[in-house]
Amino acid sequence: MWSVDPRTGNRREQVTEEATAADVDAAVQAAHRAGDSLADRAGRAAFLRAASAELLDAQGEIVPVADAETALGTARLDGEMARTAAQLRAFADELDDGAYLGATVDHADPQRIPPLPDLRRVKMPLGVVAVYAASNFPLAFSVPGGDTASALAAGCPVVVKAHPDHPATSQLCAAALRRAAASVGLPAEVLTVVHGFDAGIALVEHPLVAAAGFTGSVRGGRALFDAAAARPRPIPFHGELGSLNPVVVTEQAADERPDEIGAGLAGSVTQGTGQFCVKPGLVLVPEGAAGDGLLASLGEALAAAPAGPLLDARMREAFLAGVRRRAGLEGVEAPVAAGEGAAENTVAAGFLTVPARRLAEPGPHELLLEECFGPVTVVARYRDAEEAGAVLAVLPGNLTATVHVGAEEAGEEKGRGAELLARLAPLAGRLVVDGWPTGVAVAPAQHHGGPYPATTSTSTSVGATAIERWLRPVAYQNTPEPLLPPELRDGNPLGLPRRVDGRREG
C-alpha cells in the first residue's frame, strides 16, 4: 500500500502490505477474543477519553501526513481532528449517562389480563464490527471516526478496512488508539486496521463479524451491502452511499436576498473542493429576474474560487468525465464551466443550468439526479410551484434537503415554507432552512442518514444515537435477581436512567 500525494500524483512511501485472507481472519479472531475486555462501561469511557487525548497529542505528526495524502489543507484537518477528538469524548459522556442502554423493568402483575410475567430489557453489544473508512474525511470518518467511536462505545471491538487514499494517516491513527487501549489496561486488539480491496471483501464475509459501517460510493457500498445480506447469517450493514442534497429557493427568497444565497451556495459547493457528502448537488431556482440575480452572484463567486486537487487521480477523472456528460445533455448550459484547473492535477468549480421540466421526464436527464463528486452543482430553473414539485417527486433519498424561504413565508404555519418542508421530509434525514447542509454538527439531536441511496438503514452515523447501530435488545423473563445483569436489578445499583413499571427512574 503506497501513500500518494494528490497534488503531484507522486508516491510518497510504501506504508504496508495488503492484507491477505489469513491476515483478516487473524485480525477478526483477535478482535473477537478481545471483546470481553470491553464489557466494563467505565473502562470503555476511560478508553475513549484516552483515545481523544492520544490523538490530540499526536496531532502535530498526524495532520501533516493527512494533508500530504489528501491535499485537504492543515487548517481543515486541524478542525477535523478537533471534531474527531470531541466525538470520542462525547461517546464517553454517553457511557457515563447510561440512557443509551434503554434499561426497562416491568414487574410481574398476576392481576393483569392476561397476567404479566416479570420482564426486564437492556441493550447489549453485537460483537466484532467492520468499519470501512471514507476517503474525504481521513479522521472523522476514518480509523478514529464516528463508526469506530460509536462501536467501541457500544462495547464492540473494531476491525477497520483503511481507505487507500490515506494509508499512512490510518496507521498513525490506529497506533494512537492502540496506545490509548494499553494505557487503560485493554488489549490493543480492540482496534485493528487492515488494508486492501480483497481485505474489504474478506472482512464483510467473515463469520465472526457481526455488523458493518461504511461511508463511500453507491457502487462500492451496494456491493458490500449485498455481500452482507448474502452471508449464511446476514448482518446489519450501515452504509452511507451517495446524496444529491437538493435545495429549493422560493421566489420570495430569491427576490429578497439573491446575493446572499448565491454566495452562500458557492461556498457550500466549493467547501473541501466539493468533496463533502452533503454538498448541494441540485438547486431549484425560480425563473425570472430574482433567480437571474441569484445565478449572477453564484457565477461570480464560483469564477473567483481557486482551483484545487481532488483526493486522488481516479476521483479527478471521474469528476471531469461526469461534468462532460452532464454538460453534453440537451438544454444544459454551463454559465461557469467546471473542469480542469490551470495548475496540474487541479479542478475548477462551476455550475450547470437546466429547465426544471427536463428533470421530471424519463430519459437521459436522469443523470442530473445523480451525485457528481467534486465542485459542481446543477441549477434547475422552475416556472411555478407545480413544476418544482414534479422534480421533488422523482428525487431519490438524500442525507439532507434545504429550503430558502422569504421572511413572510418563514412566519406562516401553513404557507409555502411549511409546504416545502412537508414535501422534503420523506426525502432526507436532515432538513435545513435558510442555511447550507455542509458541516455536520456532532450533537445528540443530529441525524446523518436518509432514505436509500443516502444510507442502507434508518440510523445515523453522527451524534449520540449512532451507538444504537451496534446494540441489540435482550429481555429477561422471570429471572432470579442474582442472575440478572446489574443494569436490571431492583434498586438500580448502577444509578441508570431506567423505565420501571411505566415510570422514569434515575
Side-chain angles (χ1 to χ4, degrees), residues 315-334:
M315 290 184 189
R316 182 174 183 271
E317 288 305 313
F319 169 73
L320 296 175
V323 169
R324 286 194 297 268
R325 287 179 62 202
R326 288 163 173 78
L329 294 171
E330 185 179 354
V332 174
E333 298 179 357

Side-chain angles (χ1 to χ4, degrees), residues 59 74 83 140 212 253 387 408 420 430 450:
Q59 183 169 348
T74 56
R83 169 207 169 115
E387 194 166 82
E408 182 180 332
L420 280 171
R430 176 163 59 104

Side-chain angles (χ1 to χ4, degrees), residues 335-404:
V336 176
E340 295 190 20
E344 189 176 5
N345 298 317
T346 64
V347 296
F351 74 102
L352 304 169
T353 63
V354 64
R357 62 183 180 276
R358 295 272 192 179
L359 302 182
E361 303 166 352
H365 289 81
E366 291 174 343
L367 175 64
L368 300 174
L369 303 182
E370 298 177 11
E371 179 184 17
C372 186
F373 197 67
V376 68
T377 193
V378 175
V379 176
R381 304 296 300 271
Y382 66 89
R383 292 173 291 191
D384 51 36
E386 182 178 352
E387 194 166 82
V391 175
L392 297 180
V394 298
L395 292 185
N398 292 272
L399 294 169
T400 73
T402 298
V403 292
H404 282 266

Side-chain angles (χ1 to χ4, degrees), residues 70 80 131-143 147 160-166 170 213-217 240 311 315:
T70 66
E80 190 177 331
V131 169
Y132 293 80
S135 62
N136 56 340
F137 281 86
L139 304 175
F141 283 85
S142 190
V143 171
D147 285 350
V160 181
K161 190 276 180 186
H163 198 281
D165 278 356
H166 48 264
S170 298
F214 171 90
T215 302
S217 69
E240 180 190 322
L311 291 162
M315 290 184 189

